[in-house]
Amino acid sequence: MPETPPEPRTAALADPDPVVRERAVRDLRSRGTAELDTLPALLGLFGDPDRRVACLARIAVEELGAPAVPVLQRIRRSGPGRLRPAALTALAEIGGEPLLSERDRAAVERLVRIKLTADRPQPLSACWLYWIAVAGGDQQGIMQVLGLTGPRPVTFELGTAIVDADAHGCGDDEPGSPVGRVFVTPELDGWTLVAGAWCDPCDPELGEQVRGQVVELSARYGRAQAYYFGAQNDGSAWLVAENGSVVRRYKEAGEPDDRLWTLGEPLECERARRAELGLPVPWDDTVREDLDDAEDEWRWEAFGLAPAVAAALSVDPLTIGPGTVVRGTPVIALTPIGVAEGVPRGAYAV
């Protein structure tokens, strides 16, 4: 029996020309005609070889919102099988884990456990990376000090993807908080890292809390630090504590209040880098007005210095790799804000 031809509104979505498919999706979105009857055709584009088409299809399905959820859940239960993976992604994008069935949640957790058997450390790359480093490998104790709850095993790839996505924030009308969860590594070369925007040592609202937590961690474990690094030349910051006291806090992000965050004397690695650049050592880093050429050069150097400071004092998260000595399993955990406000929705590669 011949297949039923596609409806005129969705026929262009199956056109062999990606330009036509893209225009068709854009047309549905612009006219507001992407309705439930177009859902199967749009889901079929989630794996489109043209990345723009696939991305636009996902956005169109997400824009359908709550009315699409029962249809997507039915596809997950009963098929057709070719649409089930796309339906799972769409449910995660629309409402996150609460929209998934117990069966689907169990399947994801089982896949993570399988992936963990061959998981290897990888760099914690993100456009804006915030992290706390604590000496030793007491993952549970560190989470207890920080008030983190609900730890769930993840692969390095999944943890890094979540950290990067959360760092981009979410809209005011979107559920969840971008500081609602963190990625807690296993012990890496003698250090445990806690990564996520909640760890920002110079955040206007959370900075003093982070300072207190790093001080407490250093009192318990001897050494603890917090860092910020903007990969697009957006600045750096570091906070270093030892044995319950702040040794150094420094920020260079091109903001008027940068100097107000300065505490303590310059670190040896800061002094060494200035000497390498031929800049005066020591120097007054609390004064930023009317910078001379030397201090202007240092300001631009310090913009990208956080990874080097971390490498000198603990572990540079950008260079984690196959040679890193690992003990334990990485997890994603909720911050107190995440418990109260939830976490952003989204689908991530395991």
Side-chain angles (χ1 to χ4, degrees):
M1 184 174 180
E3 293 185 3
T4 303
E7 293 293 330
R9 286 193 307 146
T10 61
L13 296 175
D15 194 278
D17 188 340
V19 174
V20 175
R21 297 196 300 275
E22 180 181 345
R23 288 175 179 169
V25 179
R26 290 186 184 279
D27 185 61
L28 287 175
R29 293 183 62 217
S30 65
R31 294 173 182 269
T33 54
E35 299 174 355
L36 293 183
D37 63 328
T38 67
L39 182 57
L42 289 169
L43 287 174
L45 295 177
F46 272 41
D48 196 278
D50 188 288
R51 294 180 63 184
R52 288 178 299 181
V53 174
C55 181
L56 286 170
R58 284 193 290 270
I59 293 173
V61 170
E62 186 176 349
E63 288 173 346
L64 289 173
V69 169
V71 180
L72 294 167
Q73 291 174 330
R74 185 167 64 249
I75 291 173
R76 285 298 303 166
R77 290 193 303 271
S78 307
R82 62 184 176 83
L83 297 183
R84 295 184 77 247
L88 180 63
T89 299
L91 286 168
E93 294 287 0
I94 291 173
E97 188 175 333
L99 295 186
L100 305 186
S101 67
E102 287 293 334
R103 181 178 179 181
D104 280 340
R105 285 196 288 269
V108 171
E109 291 174 358
R110 183 167 60 252
L111 177 59
V112 169
R113 289 196 299 270
I114 293 172
K115 292 276 191 175
L116 279 171
T117 60
D119 194 36
R120 297 295 181 269
Q122 65 179 46
L124 305 187
S125 58
C127 293
W128 299 279
L129 184 60
Y130 313 85
W131 74 97
I132 292 172
V134 186
D138 185 9
Q139 188 186 67
Q140 291 294 329
I142 292 167
M143 289 193 291
Q144 183 178 25
V145 170
L146 295 175
L148 305 176
T149 56
R152 301 172 67 176
V154 293
T155 61
F156 270 88
E157 181 179 2
L158 178 54
T160 301
I162 290 173
V163 165
D164 190 27
D166 287 357
H168 285 82
C170 50
D172 294 337
D173 60 342
E174 295 183 34
S177 170
V179 294
R181 57 190 168 184
V182 290
F183 176 46
V184 187
T185 73
E187 184 179 353
L188 305 172
D189 286 342
W191 291 80
T192 300
L193 307 185
V194 181
W198 185 73
C199 303
D200 186 356
C202 297
D203 180 85
E205 296 180 5
L206 297 173
E208 283 306 303
Q209 171 186 297
V210 173
R211 183 190 63 77
Q213 291 171 325
V214 170
V215 166
E216 184 176 356
L217 287 167
S218 75
R220 181 167 178 174
Y221 298 104
R223 293 179 291 167
Q225 303 132 28
Y227 297 89
Y228 157 66
F229 174 64
Q232 304 298 322
N233 201 31
D234 294 314
S236 285
W238 49 90
L239 166 67
V240 180
E242 295 180 0
N243 301 316
S245 298
V246 171
V247 174
R248 177 66 160 165
R249 184 173 66 182
Y250 187 82
K251 178 186 178 186
E252 199 68 80
E255 298 176 359
D257 68 345
D258 282 353
R259 67 183 179 85
L260 301 179
W261 291 94
T262 302
L263 294 172
E265 295 298 318
L267 301 168
E268 181 56 38
C269 57
E270 295 175 57
R271 296 173 184 269
R273 184 57 184 146
R274 284 181 65 96
E276 291 172 359
L277 295 171
L279 302 178
V281 181
W283 74 104
D284 185 353
D285 58 13
T286 65
V287 178
R288 305 289 176 90
E289 294 80 5
D290 300 323
L291 293 176
D292 59 25
D293 289 344
E295 296 315 305
D296 192 44
E297 181 179 355
W298 172 249
R299 181 168 66 94
W300 287 110
E301 175 68 18
F303 254 61
L305 202 58
V309 174
L313 300 180
S314 52
V315 173
D316 175 5
L318 303 182
T319 61
I320 294 169
T324 304
V325 178
V326 183
R327 294 185 179 87
T329 301
V331 300
I332 284 287
L334 295 177
T335 69
I337 295 174
V339 172
E341 301 180 16
V343 299
R345 64 193 182 192
Y348 310 97
V350 176

